[in-house]
Amino acid sequence: MRGIPSPATAAGIGTGVILLAAALGFGRVDLAVAGALLVVAAASAMSARRGVGARLRVERDPVRRDGDGRTVEVPARIDMTVPEAEALVLTTTAPGRRTRRTVVAGPIAEVPVRVRTVHSGDQDLLTVDALAVGRDGAWTLGLGPGQTVRARIDPHARALRDLPLPRVPSGLTGAHDAPRPGDGGEFRDIHPFAPGDRLQRIDWKATARLGRRPGDLYVRRTLATSDIDVALVLDDGDDLTGVLGDWVRGDPGAGVPTSMDVAREAAWSLATAYLDRADQVSFQVLSRLSSAVPRGSGARHRERLRSAIAVVTAQQRMVRSRTPIVPASALVVLLSTFLDDEPVRLAGLWRAGGHRVVAVDVLPQLRTERLRREETAASRIVLGARADRLADVRAMGADVLVWDAEPGARAAALRAMTRQRRRG
Amino acid sequence: MTRDRDVRIAVGRTVPLWTLRAAGVVVSAASFFLIPVPYAILVVVLAAIGAVVPATFTTWAAIAVLALAQLGQPLDARASLFLVIVHLLHVIGGLQLALPWTGRLQVRALVSPARRWLTLQVPAQVLLVLALLARGLPLHGLLPAGAVAVATAVGIVAMVVLVRVLAARR
């Protein structure tokens, strides 16, 4: 690969020769010196190698998460080596952003770059192209093909204190109280001693208080503990920002999170919180049920879930989709934008099957500025239908959690869901 | 450092790339000190066209107009300024042909062209001063015109070789 000579050299030499000829014709020494200077300058800038052995390399460093958790910073390093190049024109393009050009000194340049993004999942963060320029612009060389800074950005896990639980925990052991008597749970009742009760369970104070005849013994019974099944079902039919104008124009809105970003964050936060309590978590995506992660717990399962959630992207949903199968008596967490009827149908099916359903609304906070009148009217219709769907979901007995809300509001909603179960 | 909200490129101090083109026009404006106003205006206009559309090569046309207009002026110390303008216009013209119009220019990227400019400009200025001093001496007839032309050509080739060797050592 060799650079293309620029006409600047020919222009310089040609002008120099004209000046030399004029100097000879008119006997002017200043023109002679200027002409000779131009010829020397143009000729000395020429190069036979013209960037042979040029190299462009982009290396990415580990992703760093900002204080707010939602924004990540991806450091990268652009290495360019072009022998005999005087300047290197670096062209960087971030998705949804203006192309930027930066001219740096050659022939070797190491340029640190930092890309900030609010998105998660597989992201093409930056495309880098470079052009080498010889001395005084004598030649140019494109360092194609362009290199792309790619990263798989794990979703952020928000800390959740209160978590909704299914009506009846069905596991054999775990961190939650089961309704049946057993070991490990909270106090249940005082009960007359029966064959099979352990002697160490005899409550002597209760026996002294309640015993009527010699030989009456009372035992202190506790509740059993149980883990729960949580089925995370992610509706990947849409990927929308909260900027309503973007919906019309199809602009991905590079600087603001999309519904898939919110869904990934919600799914990973809930999965982490339930796994921390040693519960069984499964994960399914509506458009690709074959890629489901079956129920499980533990460190290895956590990594499997993390990679499964991080790679989810919006997909066209099948016309006839199979209903995701969830474990019996599992808590079903349905993450969706509720912009179509399918999630409502699924919530109804699961409610009819006796599952507790938590519908997580993953649509980002809406921004309605700079909308035309017809766009405003259209958005009202779409959002009205969405509000009706969410009302239907509530009417079925499902809980609705708006994820992209103030952290306090989200925590309060989760706490309210937890109390509902205790009351019920 | 160039920065926007999401992409930060750390390259040290930079200036907008258009300043390079503006510099070409500013340099050409120095021709008002050398040649009559109508010619100077023509030089500036040609340099400005060359800055906006470098592919027209009017930057070098501006050099030619400046040199030819210089023929009507007496030969004096202002010839040094003439050399400076001609050389700067050539360097800026070459760079603006290769570099884009928009973007940022690392200030350090100008060091190498400036160093090479000085490497050529200083000997040229010395040569010009010597030539101006030798003007009054009775050298006419000492060397034939053909010999002067050959000596100039040899000098140019020697200078090219010298500059390239110096550049290769760096």
Side-chain angles (χ1 to χ4, degrees):
Chain A
M1 195 165 54
R2 187 170 291 190
I4 301 165
S6 152
T9 307
I13 292 175
T15 311
V17 170
I18 291 171
L19 264 59
L20 282 170
L24 277 175
F26 294 92
R28 288 287 295 240
V29 70
D30 53 345
L31 263 63
V33 175
L37 177 62
L38 280 184
V39 173
V40 170
S44 63
M46 285 194 299
S47 162
R49 290 183 65 193
R50 296 200 299 269
V52 172
R55 196 186 64 197
L56 167 67
R57 200 172 58 195
V58 179
E59 283 180 8
R60 183 175 65 75
D61 293 331
V63 174
R64 280 186 233 149
R65 198 168 284 282
D66 277 6
D68 68 341
R70 180 164 270 185
T71 311
V72 295
E73 191 172 79
V74 184
R77 207 175 52 251
I78 303 168
D79 288 327
M80 294 174 286
T81 307
V82 186
E84 300 193 0
E86 191 160 80
L88 300 162
V89 185
L90 190 65
T91 306
T92 51
T93 312
R97 299 251 165 233
R98 216 157 29 89
T99 296
R100 292 169 56 200
R101 294 185 184 87
T102 312
V103 179
V104 297
I108 298 169
E110 188 178 303
V111 181
V113 183
R114 285 165 193 267
V115 188
R116 285 161 61 94
T117 182
V118 293
H119 300 298
S120 57
D122 287 334
Q123 298 291 328
D124 286 352
L125 297 166
L126 193 71
T127 304
V128 179
D129 284 295
L131 175 83
V133 177
R135 296 188 198 109
D136 294 346
W139 52 268
T140 55
L141 172 67
L143 305 184
Q147 309 260 324
T148 303
V149 180
R150 291 194 176 88
R152 175 170 294 175
I153 298 162
D154 289 331
H156 175 55
R158 295 202 177 272
L160 305 174
R161 279 182 55 193
D162 300 296
L163 290 171
L165 301 175
R167 310 245 177 250
V168 184
S170 59
L172 293 176
T173 182
H176 311 283
D177 287 333
R180 58 192 163 74
D183 291 329
E186 292 178 7
F187 170 74
R188 184 171 187 253
D189 61 2
I190 298 291
H191 192 267
F193 183 85
D197 284 338
R198 290 188 212 161
L199 293 177
Q200 64 187 17
R201 282 197 174 276
I202 296 170
D203 189 333
W204 294 108
K205 283 185 183 173
T207 300
R209 193 169 62 249
L210 300 171
R212 294 288 176 261
R213 294 187 303 275
D216 279 355
L217 292 171
Y218 286 85
V219 292
R220 187 181 178 86
R221 296 199 305 185
T222 56
L223 291 169
T225 59
S226 169
D227 57 356
I228 59 168
D229 273 313
V230 180
L232 299 173
V233 182
L234 197 153
D235 173 12
D236 56 345
D238 305 302
D239 193 9
L240 300 166
T241 66
V243 184
L244 285 173
D246 290 351
W247 296 10
V248 181
R249 291 180 280 275
D251 189 344
V256 289
T258 66
S259 59
M260 283 308 294
D261 296 320
V262 177
R264 285 188 210 103
E265 182 189 288
W268 179 233
S269 301
L270 289 164
T272 307
Y274 282 112
L275 287 173
D276 286 345
R277 290 161 172 78
D279 293 325
Q280 306 282 321
V281 180
S282 64
F283 177 70
Q284 299 181 70
V285 179
L286 277 190
S287 73
R288 287 165 290 171
L289 295 177
S290 57
S291 64
V293 179
R295 62 193 285 276
S297 62
R300 192 178 293 178
H301 188 71
R302 184 189 294 259
E303 290 307 310
R304 202 179 301 148
L305 276 174
R306 180 162 65 179
S307 59
I309 291 169
V311 297
V312 173
T313 52
Q315 301 283 336
Q316 191 77 34
R317 202 183 294 145
M318 310 264 286
V319 179
R320 283 176 59 82
S321 60
R322 188 161 57 88
T323 303
I325 298 167
V326 297
S329 73
L331 168 74
V332 181
V333 180
L334 175 61
L335 305 115
S336 174
T337 54
F338 294 94
L339 286 169
D340 63 274
D341 293 329
E342 181 64 7
V344 182
R345 184 185 73 82
L346 292 173
L349 278 174
W350 286 319
R351 284 296 299 137
H355 291 279
R356 186 178 189 193
V357 176
V358 176
V360 181
D361 177 10
V362 294
L363 196 66
Q365 287 182 11
L366 295 173
R367 286 162 54 184
T368 55
E369 65 265 23
R370 286 187 289 177
L371 285 182
R372 293 197 296 269
R373 277 178 57 194
E374 59 272 24
E375 289 173 349
T376 306
S379 66
R380 279 182 187 159
I381 294 169
V382 172
L383 294 176
R386 193 180 95 92
D388 287 347
R389 284 186 204 105
L390 286 169
D392 289 347
V393 170
R394 280 195 191 91
M396 289 168 190
D399 299 302
V400 175
L401 173 65
V402 179
W403 189 266
D404 194 22
E406 293 298 317
R410 186 170 51 229
L414 282 167
R415 201 174 307 126
M417 286 179 205
T418 314
R419 283 180 186 156
Q420 274 175 21
R421 182 200 168 245
R422 282 182 181 157
R423 278 203 304 271
Chain B
M1 178 182 286
T2 66
R3 61 190 306 173
D4 69 8
R5 208 174 54 174
D6 293 329
V7 181
R8 285 192 292 165
I9 302 173
V11 290
R13 188 166 292 177
T14 61
V15 292
L17 263 171
W18 58 261
T19 53
L20 184 71
R21 291 159 194 266
V25 180
V26 170
V27 167
S28 69
S31 60
F32 281 98
F33 295 109
L34 299 176
I35 54 176
V37 171
Y39 296 111
I41 289 173
L42 183 59
V43 168
V44 173
V45 168
L46 287 171
I49 293 171
V52 177
V53 192
T56 55
F57 302 103
T58 49
T59 305
W60 287 274
I63 295 173
V65 169
L66 174 62
L68 296 177
Q70 183 76 359
L71 286 173
Q73 304 301 311
L75 190 56
D76 54 18
R78 287 183 302 170
S80 295
L81 180 60
F82 169 67
L83 268 191
V84 170
I85 297 171
V86 165
H87 195 185
L88 273 178
L89 281 179
H90 167 70
V91 172
I92 292 171
L95 288 176
Q96 64 194 17
L97 253 179
L99 297 181
W101 173 263
T102 56
R104 307 287 301 182
L105 173 66
Q106 186 187 31
V107 174
R108 202 164 65 83
L110 294 173
V111 170
S112 187
R115 193 187 292 146
R116 207 176 42 264
W117 185 85
L118 274 175
T119 307
L120 293 174
Q121 185 66 209
V122 170
Q125 291 286 356
V126 172
L127 186 65
L128 180 67
V129 170
L130 290 176
L132 288 176
L133 290 175
R135 221 170 16 138
L137 299 176
L139 296 174
H140 293 285
L142 209 65
L143 281 171
V148 172
V150 170
T152 307
V154 170
I156 287 172
V157 171
M159 198 65 195
V160 169
V161 171
L162 182 66
V163 170
R164 290 177 68 97
V165 167
L166 285 175
R169 283 178 64 187
R170 266 207 307 278

